Amino acid sequence: MTEPTLPSVRLNQGIHVIHLFYRVDRVRWQQLGPAESTDARQRLEALCAANSAASHPRLVSYVNVCGKADLAFMIYATDLAQAAQIHRDLEHCFPAGTLERVFSYLSVTELTEYMPSDEENRRILIEQEKLQPDSEAYNQRWAEMSKRKADYEHYRLYPEMPDWELMGFYPMNKRRHGADNWYSLDFAARKKLMGGHARVGRKYAGRISQLITGSTGLDDWEWGVTLMAHQADALKEIVYEMRFDEVSARYGEFGPFYVNLRLTPPAVWRHLHL
Ligand code: 76R
């Protein structure tokens, strides 16, 4: 394959994430010889292997459960052109006319506006932990907090998502209707509401690993929600519990839900009888 000569299109920070959902045209697929199916699988395996970094570039294959789609993919890439190229190379793995795209989503990783500020962290050390500013103990705790914050921010921007058995995806908006307009709340009110949201979310540590990617101005919804899980009840419980939280109850609007199994290309082929 020749090197793509695309313009480099990078973010100030973070990476691009693409979710893709395809149906396989079974009638067209039946017309293929066995060698064509094997060739397609091998091309896809090679493309996944070439894009298998822990964070990015990364191409991960899934199958959709229940048939809203057959195949699903996630692409993670620093450069939009690289993400776009992986998308096209992925489609190029398949014989012409065999793939029909049923849903796609473009979003980017981002830092949250709602993390504690340095001033709030300083107050925690002085008022809650009763440390003397500039004492050795204070400086040590400050260094610990700063390291944790830097690690956390790095992980938000350059996520290393686990290959758990399930990947749930849905897009969402914050409501902008009449009295329920998220965007007319002031920052302090939004921050307080998001604090409640995060408390619910943290209860699912170990059962859910979440990736919230921003897509305002990039795709038809404002965020993509990707939830890795080992079991479907974890997906159901977190979404159910969050529905009672004011941020979701009052301001959340949701698009279609896709539940997908993580399978490598050979397992995808066996599962879908390709
Ligand atoms: O990043 C953090 O952990 C800080 C706290 C936090 C923020 C800022 C957080 C925690 N989220 C944040 C932002 Mn979330 N999240 C969702 C959904 O179905 C629904 O009702 C909502 C879909 C889930 C399931 C979820 C899970 N979160 C956001 C935003 C952006 C809002 C904005 O900027 O205005 C959206 C749209 C959103 C939606 N969230 C968590 C979780 C979980 C599991 C956590 C805890 C993560 C952890 O501490 O490890």
Side-chain angles (χ1 to χ4, degrees):
M1 214 170 288
T2 50
E3 274 302 303
T5 49
L6 292 173
S8 175
V9 181
R10 286 171 173 258
L11 301 160
N12 284 333
Q13 52 182 7
I15 61 173
H16 301 84
V17 179
I18 294 179
H19 293 75
L20 293 163
F21 299 87
Y22 294 98
R23 205 183 310 285
V24 176
D25 184 326
R26 296 289 178 169
V27 175
R28 174 76 184 93
W29 200 272
Q30 272 182 348
Q31 295 161 356
L32 303 178
E36 280 179 287
S37 172
T38 306
D39 286 353
R41 193 200 72 218
Q42 288 174 346
R43 280 194 293 269
L44 184 63
E45 277 184 272
L47 190 65
C48 290
N51 295 284
S52 58
S55 174
H56 59 87
R58 186 168 175 83
L59 168 65
V60 192
S61 54
Y62 301 87
V63 293
N64 180 253
V65 180
C66 246
K68 282 179 184 167
D70 293 321
L71 295 157
F73 296 95
M74 282 185 73
I75 298 169
Y76 307 75
T78 318
D79 201 304
L80 180 61
Q82 187 182 26
Q85 192 62 55
I86 295 171
H87 164 217
R88 295 303 176 183
D89 289 350
L90 157 62
E91 293 185 349
H92 194 63
C93 292
F94 289 81
T98 56
L99 279 194
E100 182 200 347
R101 205 192 57 214
V102 292
F103 196 76
S104 66
Y105 209 75
L106 172 64
S107 56
V108 298
T109 60
E110 60 187 5
L111 291 180
T112 152
E113 296 171 68
Y114 306 112
M115 287 301 283
S117 63
D118 283 354
E119 192 42 49
E120 282 167 276
N121 282 336
R122 202 164 286 132
R123 242 182 292 132
I124 290 172
L125 295 188
I126 296 169
E127 290 168 19
Q128 289 178 20
E129 300 189 17
K130 311 283 180 215
L131 295 174
Q132 191 65 34
D134 288 329
S135 64
E136 202 176 310
Y138 176 97
N139 289 341
Q140 193 183 332
R141 282 287 292 128
W142 183 258
E144 279 170 21
M145 271 180 152
S146 305
K147 164 95 172 62
R148 200 171 339 122
K149 188 173 168 202
D151 287 349
Y152 172 80
E153 290 186 352
H154 179 82
Y155 183 74
R156 284 283 299 202
L157 291 172
Y158 307 99
E160 296 180 12
M161 298 307 288
D163 263 340
W164 290 353
E165 293 85 340
L166 292 178
M167 183 270 281
F169 173 77
Y170 53 99
M172 69 173 289
N173 287 339
K174 291 286 174 66
R175 185 166 293 137
R176 290 181 280 124
H177 291 168
D180 295 336
N181 188 334
W182 177 256
Y183 296 92
S184 55
L185 296 177
D186 63 28
F187 178 73
R190 281 182 283 127
K191 183 163 176 165
K192 185 155 179 282
L193 286 166
M194 287 306 295
H197 164 87
R199 262 191 303 284
V200 174
R202 279 193 292 271
K203 292 203 284 189
Y204 289 82
R207 297 178 68 205
I208 294 284
S209 180
Q210 118 275 28
L211 176 66
I212 307 298
T213 44
S215 46
T216 308
L218 299 178
D219 215 320
D220 299 340
W221 298 78
E222 294 169 347
W223 285 276
V225 179
T226 306
L227 303 174
M228 306 304 181
H230 302 291
Q231 299 177 204
D233 50 7
L235 295 176
K236 179 172 172 292
E237 280 169 35
I238 191 171
V239 175
Y240 182 73
E241 188 171 354
M242 283 197 171
R243 290 291 156 98
F244 292 97
D245 188 73
E246 195 176 352
V247 180
S248 299
R250 197 158 167 203
Y251 300 103
E253 289 178 349
F254 303 91
F257 285 72
Y258 290 89
V259 174
N260 313 282
L261 281 171
R262 166 71 175 121
L263 296 183
T264 59
V268 168
W269 254 244
R270 278 194 301 276
H271 176 71
L272 294 177
H273 301 285
L274 299 179

